[in-house]
Amino acid sequence: MNQSSKSSNNSNLTGYAAQAKGKTGVMRIIKAAGYSRDGFLAAYHNEAAFRQVTWLNAALLVVLVFMPFDLVVKMVLVLASFFSVVVELFNTAIEAAIDHTSTERHPLAKIAKDVGSAAQLMALLLLALLWAMAVWQR
């Protein structure tokens, strides 16, 4: 994308959005890391489910250090833990966006929130299944 295309894409943005999109290079990476930190902190402070998933996976990762699993098994379990945290971050983001739009009960809002919750359930079931398989193998 050439420079004129970039500036025309960003010319429609105002305020905070224009400031956030105007960064390039190392400064963009630094800003993105700050936004990611802010996202983790917001999810942790505002969403009990995120705190629960975070602490569950932290405990599982500590246990994993002491388990005599093969490296590949440990890698899969770490991946499943991170996956469940990522799914909860998406679920939290969906809920926040819906609540920002409207706090009224609406069938589509319920569907979106329920689907996010179902995604998290699947991630946690995967985590439980993989742990059960790893323990059973031992």
Side-chain angles (χ1 to χ4, degrees):
M1 182 180 281
N2 64 32
Q3 189 61 33
S4 63
S5 295
K6 283 183 184 178
S7 62
S8 66
N9 287 343
N10 290 341
S11 64
N12 296 337
L13 302 175
T14 60
Y16 178 75
Q19 292 172 358
K21 293 292 182 181
K23 307 294 183 215
T24 59
V26 174
M27 197 54 166
R28 186 177 198 293
I29 294 169
I30 292 169
K31 287 288 189 183
Y35 300 144
S36 296
R37 182 200 68 231
D38 293 347
F40 279 115
L41 291 174
Y44 191 84
H45 291 300
N46 296 304
E47 188 63 41
F50 181 76
R51 288 190 298 275
Q52 292 166 348
V53 168
T54 298
W55 285 108
L56 167 68
N57 283 294
L60 288 175
L61 291 175
V62 169
V63 169
L64 186 60
V65 169
F66 299 102
M67 295 299 289
F69 297 142
D70 293 335
L71 179 60
V72 173
V73 172
K74 287 186 175 191
M75 290 168 56
V76 169
L77 293 173
V78 168
L79 179 65
S81 283
F82 273 80
F83 180 68
S84 71
V85 172
V86 169
V87 170
E88 185 55 41
L89 284 168
F90 280 126
N91 187 34
T92 298
I94 290 167
E95 288 184 3
I98 289 169
D99 291 344
H100 169 75
T101 303
S102 174
T103 55
E104 285 183 30
R105 289 186 178 258
H106 190 281
L108 293 176
K110 181 176 178 2
I111 289 170
K113 287 185 172 191
D114 289 351
V115 169
S117 180
Q120 181 55 27
L121 174 65
M122 295 303 294
L124 290 173
L125 287 175
L126 173 66
L127 183 63
L129 177 64
L130 290 173
W131 266 93
M133 292 169 65
V135 169
W136 180 269
Q137 179 191 24
R138 267 286 151 215

